[in-house]
C-alpha cells in the first residue's frame, strides 16, 4: 500500500516525463539568452518602464509570435520597443524546444537616471 506521500512523490517524478513530448512553458529567468533582448528606451518616457512578453520558441534560438501581456506604465511606448528588440534576441538554452512558450519581463530606465533610482516595478506574481 502506497501512502499519500508516496503517491505525491510518484506524481512529482512522473509529471515531467508525461510532458516531455508536448510544448512546455518557461517563466521569467528560467532560460539563458545568448543574445539578450535590448530594447531602446522610448524618447518620451521618464523613469522606469517595464513590459511582460510572451513568445513562442522557434528554431535556432529565435523567438516568434511575441505579444505584450502587461506594460508599466500602462500607456508606455516601451512595449513596441521590447517587441522590436526580439528580432535580434537569441536563446542560448538547449532545453527550450521549438513550440515551447516563454514569458519574461524586460525593464529599463531613462538614460540619465541614476542606477539607485532605477528600480524594477514590483508586479505581483501571476497566478498559474
Amino acid at each position: 500500500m502506497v501512502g499519500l506521500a508516496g503517491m505525491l512523490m510518484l506524481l512529482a517524478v512522473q509529471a515531467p516525463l508525461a510532458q516531455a513530448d508536448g510544448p512546455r512553458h518557461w517563466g521569467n529567468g528560467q532560460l539563458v539568452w545568448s543574445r539578450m533582448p535590448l530594447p531602446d528606451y522610448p524618447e518620451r518616457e521618464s523613469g522606469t518602464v517595464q513590459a511582460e512578453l510572451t513568445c513562442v520558441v522557434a528554431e535556432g534560438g529565435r523567438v516568434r509570435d511575441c505579444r505584450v501581456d502587461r506594460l508599466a506604465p500602462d500607456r508606455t511606448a516601451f512595449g513596441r520597443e521590447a517587441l522590436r528588440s526580439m528580432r535580434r534576441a537569441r536563446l542560448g538554452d538547449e532545453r527550450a524546444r521549438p513550440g515551447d512558450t516563454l514569458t519574461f519581463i524586460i525593464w529599463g530606465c531613462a538614460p540619465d537616471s541614476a542606477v539607485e533610482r532605477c528600480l524594477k516595478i514590483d508586479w505581483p506574481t501571476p497566478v498559474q
Side-chain angles (χ1 to χ4, degrees):
M1 182 169 173
V2 177
L4 179 60
M7 287 183 1
L8 291 176
M9 197 173 211
L10 182 63
L11 289 173
V13 170
Q14 289 184 345
L17 297 176
Q19 296 172 356
D21 294 336
R24 297 170 293 177
H25 181 78
W26 300 93
N28 200 40
Q30 289 183 308
L31 295 176
V32 176
W33 296 93
S34 62
R35 189 180 313 154
M36 293 286 293
L38 298 171
D40 292 328
Y41 187 86
E43 290 181 19
R44 297 184 309 262
E45 300 292 338
S46 62
T48 304
V49 291
Q50 190 165 296
E52 181 180 79
L53 303 181
T54 297
C55 301
V56 177
V57 176
E59 295 289 336
R62 289 179 166 78
V63 292
R64 62 178 173 81
D65 302 332
C66 294
R67 70 173 191 264
V68 176
D69 296 327
R70 290 194 288 182
L71 289 172
D74 289 338
R75 299 191 189 280
T76 181
F78 188 65
R80 183 173 43 252
E81 296 301 328
L83 287 173
R84 189 175 293 137
S85 75
M86 297 313 299
R87 296 178 195 153
R88 298 179 301 271
R90 297 291 178 271
L91 287 168
D93 199 314
E94 294 178 9
R95 296 175 298 159
R97 298 185 309 247
D100 287 356
T101 56
L102 167 65
T103 299
F104 58 98
I105 297 169
I106 300 177
W107 62 284
C109 292
D112 60 350
S113 292
V115 174
E116 58 273 4
R117 287 192 8 239
C118 182
L119 301 175
K120 191 171 175 183
I121 298 166
D122 188 21
W123 273 340
T125 304
V127 177
Q128 300 283 331

